[in-house]
Amino acid sequence: MDRENGAASGLVLSGRRSLSVSGVKEVSGFDDRQIEADTTAGELFVRGEELRILSFDRDSGDLELEGRIDGMAYAEKTEKRGLWARLFGG
């Protein structure tokens, strides 16, 4: 469950060819080899070949995609920091 608003995030993978994701806030990047989505559970990375987004409904948070899915990984979203902040711990 999402700590902010209680929305659940989930994945349904069918035969490595079709993926349904719930709890998606936005699609932050995509091409035919990787799709990046900001979800209520963190940043989701889907890697594969011939990936394409079939549909994305921002209101419901549902994302549908297809292609050859080789891997998926979640990462915590980190704040981008500038050079000075990294150098001086700011």
Side-chain angles (χ1 to χ4, degrees):
M1 297 290 278
D2 177 27
R3 289 174 233 121
E4 293 175 16
N5 62 15
S9 178
L11 300 168
V12 176
L13 178 63
S14 300
R16 288 185 60 188
R17 296 291 309 164
S18 175
L19 180 65
S20 299
V21 185
S22 59
V24 177
K25 298 177 187 177
E26 71 175 307
V27 175
S28 51
F30 66 93
D31 61 25
D32 65 337
R33 301 190 69 151
Q34 179 168 296
I35 296 174
E36 302 170 17
D38 182 19
T39 75
T40 56
E43 191 76 15
L44 173 65
F45 298 89
V46 179
R47 292 182 182 88
E49 298 286 330
E50 300 175 4
L51 298 176
R52 65 185 197 115
I53 295 173
L54 299 176
S55 65
F56 172 52
D57 185 333
R58 185 177 299 223
D59 294 330
S60 68
D62 294 330
L63 172 66
E64 303 282 332
L65 60 99
E66 71 177 8
R68 191 185 85 207
I69 299 165
D70 294 332
M72 297 174 285
Y74 277 102
E76 290 296 321
K77 194 162 187 159
T78 59
E79 182 179 325
K80 293 183 180 178
R81 299 180 345 154
L83 175 62
W84 291 113
R86 288 190 308 248
L87 288 174
F88 299 108

